[in-house]
Amino acid sequence: MAGGGAQCLSFAGCNFLRQRLVLSTLSGRPLKIRKIRAKEEDPGLRDFEACFIRLIDKVTNGSRIEINQTGTTLYYQPGLLYGGSLEHDCSPSRSIGYYLESLLCLAPFMKHPLKIVLRGVTNDQVDPSVDVLKATALPLLKKFGIDGESLEIKINRRGMPPKGGGEILFACPVRKVLQPIQFTDPGKIKRIRGTAYSVRVSPQMANRMVESARSVLNKFLPDVYIYTDHMKGISSGKSPGFGICLIAETINGTILSAELASNPQGQGAAVLPEELGQNCAKLLLEEIYRGGCVDSTNQSLALLLMTLGQQDVSKVLLGPLSPYTIEFLRHLRSFFQIMFKIEMKSPEEEHKAPQV
């Protein structure tokens, strides 16, 4: 896709920077973003955004990126998605999930299969963790026909904020043609799985989170299994912390997720592992109550793959759209001139879904 003749799109503000850069790369349309935090004391791009732009530059070939001196204006002319074997050090102010979410959108459309090692924070309180993306985004890609042994996310080391020190490997094959999907019946919940991890703290923390999460979830269904993952030595990163990520799976292959992590060292009050486990279990039940075949983290990924699929009609049932997804639909219209037909389900139909 050559972006030479395409008309340049113009945006203002720092919101949704990743969406805009990803869609610009996939559509081949150049992009100009003005007034990035222009009125703030510290104007311009933040370090994690600059780091994200460098990552986009690495996976493409021939992209042109111009940033003015204050960092408040960005011009981006996309090159070709190239892929290959790469390494990237992510800024520790955002977790690896911030970068990985966008790579999941781009990877299937590269020229060469992508194999990338990302280093930084694997689990934090802001972005989806690597565990959740591994459990929810990979099965979603498989539904669109992006699969094979070379599709994987592997956690080599965990890293908690503020210092990080984690490392993951993400590999994805190339698919020129995506399968259209009909995914409108979430089905009933058949089991709940999860991971409770602890690094540089007592391994007992993970067990305490598992106990308290199970005390809530076992009232809901018996098949609950939560693994404990205690990493030691070099594979535990540079900062202490713990957290839990829970996954609910239905008979039709819908996967819904929830997660929580402890406060970074030196910030905020200390969190009890019991509270964390219980609250995470309640978040998962809330995600199940919302319904839909794709959880709120992956709504935009599903919509993007539907946009870039064949001309066949794909249908997917989503729970309430997150503000991020709503903006994503607007951006899809700007970049691809594609609009979705959205039908609301009546409340009677809606509350048939979460029964167990």
Side-chain angles (χ1 to χ4, degrees):
M1 304 177 192
Q7 150 197 11
C8 181
L9 289 168
S10 186
F11 296 99
C14 63
N15 283 353
F16 310 107
L17 180 87
R18 287 182 305 164
Q19 282 189 17
R20 291 165 180 170
L21 288 171
V22 164
L23 293 175
S24 164
T25 310
L26 289 169
S27 63
R29 299 188 67 172
L31 168 73
K32 187 168 191 178
I33 303 177
R34 300 179 330 269
K35 296 184 187 163
I36 301 174
R37 299 192 182 87
K39 292 193 167 65
E40 292 190 22
E41 283 177 21
D42 178 14
L45 293 164
R46 295 281 177 266
D47 56 347
F48 60 88
E49 291 164 335
C51 187
F52 179 74
I53 292 166
R54 282 198 292 278
L55 176 63
I56 293 278
D57 193 33
K58 271 185 196 173
V59 296
T60 57
N61 194 353
S63 293
R64 205 169 113 222
I65 298 164
E66 291 169 14
I67 299 170
N68 70 351
Q69 273 181 320
T70 51
T72 50
T73 305
L74 163 71
Y75 173 75
Y76 172 64
Q77 187 171 344
L80 295 171
L81 276 167
Y82 194 74
S85 287
L86 300 164
E87 291 188 4
H88 187 67
D89 291 326
C90 305
S91 159
S93 45
R94 290 297 282 265
S95 88
I96 291 175
Y98 175 82
Y99 305 90
L100 191 56
E101 271 188 300
S102 299
L103 285 179
L104 284 161
C105 299
L106 296 170
F109 310 102
M110 307 242 171
K111 189 172 178 191
H112 300 285
L114 179 68
K115 196 169 186 183
I116 186 164
V117 172
L118 296 170
R119 295 191 191 87
V121 173
T122 53
N123 305 75
D124 72 357
Q125 297 171 316
V126 187
D127 301 291
S129 69
V130 181
D131 301 86
V132 158
L133 291 174
K134 179 177 179 173
T136 57
L138 294 191
L140 182 63
L141 290 178
K142 285 178 184 163
K143 285 207 180 331
F144 284 91
I146 304 160
D147 56 3
E149 285 175 9
S150 55
L151 177 67
E152 67 164 342
I153 293 176
K154 189 172 166 212
I155 303 169
N156 298 332
R157 295 190 201 133
R158 282 192 187 279
M160 299 292 288
K163 292 184 183 147
E167 179 181 294
I168 67 139
L169 167 77
F170 170 52
C172 181
V174 175
R175 286 286 176 275
K176 290 286 178 277
V177 178
L178 300 180
Q179 293 169 358
I181 62 165
Q182 301 290 322
F183 196 22
T184 52
D185 179 11
K188 295 179 181 177
I189 304 288
K190 66 174 177 183
R191 62 173 175 220
I192 291 175
R193 294 288 177 264
T195 307
Y197 56 86
S198 56
V199 293
R200 300 195 172 271
V201 293
S202 155
Q204 209 47 46
M205 296 289 198
N207 301 338
R208 285 162 63 185
M209 283 186 287
V210 173
E211 291 283 305
S212 60
R214 288 191 61 138
S215 69
V216 176
L217 296 170
N218 279 133
K219 294 174 190 163
F220 175 64
L221 85 167
D223 189 355
V224 177
Y225 194 88
I226 304 169
Y227 299 88
T228 55
D229 178 10
H230 180 69
M231 288 197 166
K232 294 189 182 74
I234 190 157
S235 55
S236 64
K238 297 173 184 168
S239 295
F242 54 88
I244 183 167
C245 118
L246 296 171
I247 311 294
E249 206 177 317
T250 71
I251 45 179
N252 291 355
T254 295
I255 295 176
L256 305 168
S257 67
E259 61 174 333
L260 281 175
S262 60
N263 288 332
Q265 186 183 12
Q267 295 171 27
V271 188
L272 282 172
E274 285 79 6
E275 275 177 35
L276 209 67
Q278 265 182 339
N279 292 343
C280 190
K282 287 172 186 166
L283 280 177
L284 183 70
L285 295 177
E286 198 176 302
E287 189 71 55
I288 292 167
Y289 177 74
R290 280 193 199 130
C293 295
V294 179
D295 68 350
S296 31
T297 317
N298 292 300
Q299 286 176 345
S300 48
L301 178 61
L303 294 170
L304 177 71
L305 294 172
M306 286 163 71
T307 304
L308 298 172
Q310 294 160 291
Q311 292 305 308
D312 259 354
V313 174
S314 285
K315 269 189 187 173
V316 71
L317 174 70
L318 300 174
L321 297 180
S322 65
Y324 188 82
T325 310
I326 292 167
E327 196 60 39
F328 192 76
L329 286 166
R330 290 182 185 136
H331 280 130
L332 280 174
R333 190 179 63 191
S334 312
F335 283 97
F336 289 100
Q337 282 76 52
I338 278 190
M339 289 172 73
F340 281 81
K341 182 174 180 224
I342 297 176
E343 293 172 358
M344 294 290 282
K345 281 188 110 177
S346 67
E348 293 80 52
E349 283 179 289
E350 211 170 273
H351 284 295
K352 277 189 211 151
Q355 292 171 353
V356 177

